[in-house]
Amino acid sequence: MEMDEIVARVKNGENHYFEHIINHYEQKIFITVIRIVRNRAATEDIVQDIFIKVFYSIHKYKHTGSFNAWIYRIVVNYCFDYLRKHKYQTIEIASDVMDSRYPEKILLLRERNEQLEQLLQQLDETDYFVLLLKYVNGLSYDEISEVLQISLNDVRNKLHRSKRKLRSIVTTEGGYFYEV
């Protein structure tokens, strides 16, 4: 069943179809939120709150853009509100429990993730979100434009500029991300 049909059914009062929306978006939204707020405990609460907001706001979705962009606009706005209220207080993201039989692999993954986070922190907020929405969430340029409320040209320029900046940083500093 297509997402538009699922949304239409939920809007028509068939609330049990909302489970399909949760199943489709839960992991993607979790990854997006944790990368923005960098606090695992807060992320779990925020994701739950976002789905509650989506459920009670779905009747406002007018099909003028994609549902994908509409839901990610809610995610980004909610995260911005959270960060404003908590004045960007973040804690280190705890890694999921990994297979302890390979401690060197765990160490390398942690180092790589830390380096990636350091690289991404050197971007301005909008550039960071453009990369996140494009490569983590797989949104199209049009959807990113709609979510961040910037022009399509700005999306293209920010994506190109941020990748170039990351390449430049990696080239001068070295590290795991030589393939960027």
Side-chain angles (χ1 to χ4, degrees), residues 115-154:
Q115 188 180 32
L116 178 59
E117 280 302 318
Q118 288 171 356
L119 282 171
L120 293 174
Q121 291 308 309
Q122 295 182 45
L123 299 173
D124 73 34
E125 195 173 71
T126 308
D127 291 347
Y128 176 81
F129 285 124
V130 168
L131 284 173
L132 181 67
L133 293 171
K134 176 67 179 159
Y135 294 110
V136 174
N137 299 99
L139 270 65
S140 69
Y141 289 3
D142 289 331
E143 290 172 327
I144 295 169
S145 171
E146 192 176 329
V147 168
L148 297 178
Q149 297 177 337
I150 59 176
S151 74
L152 199 53
N153 275 341
D154 281 346

Side-chain angles (χ1 to χ4, degrees), residues 1-14 17-18 21 25 58-59 61 63 67-68 70:
M1 186 177 310
E2 293 289 323
M3 189 54 65
D4 286 339
E5 184 179 343
I6 293 168
V7 170
R9 287 177 178 246
V10 173
K11 287 175 78 170
N12 287 331
E14 297 178 65
Y17 278 97
F18 192 72
I21 295 172
Y25 285 101
I58 203 162
H59 66 280
Y61 172 61
H63 300 280
F67 182 73
N68 207 26
W70 182 82

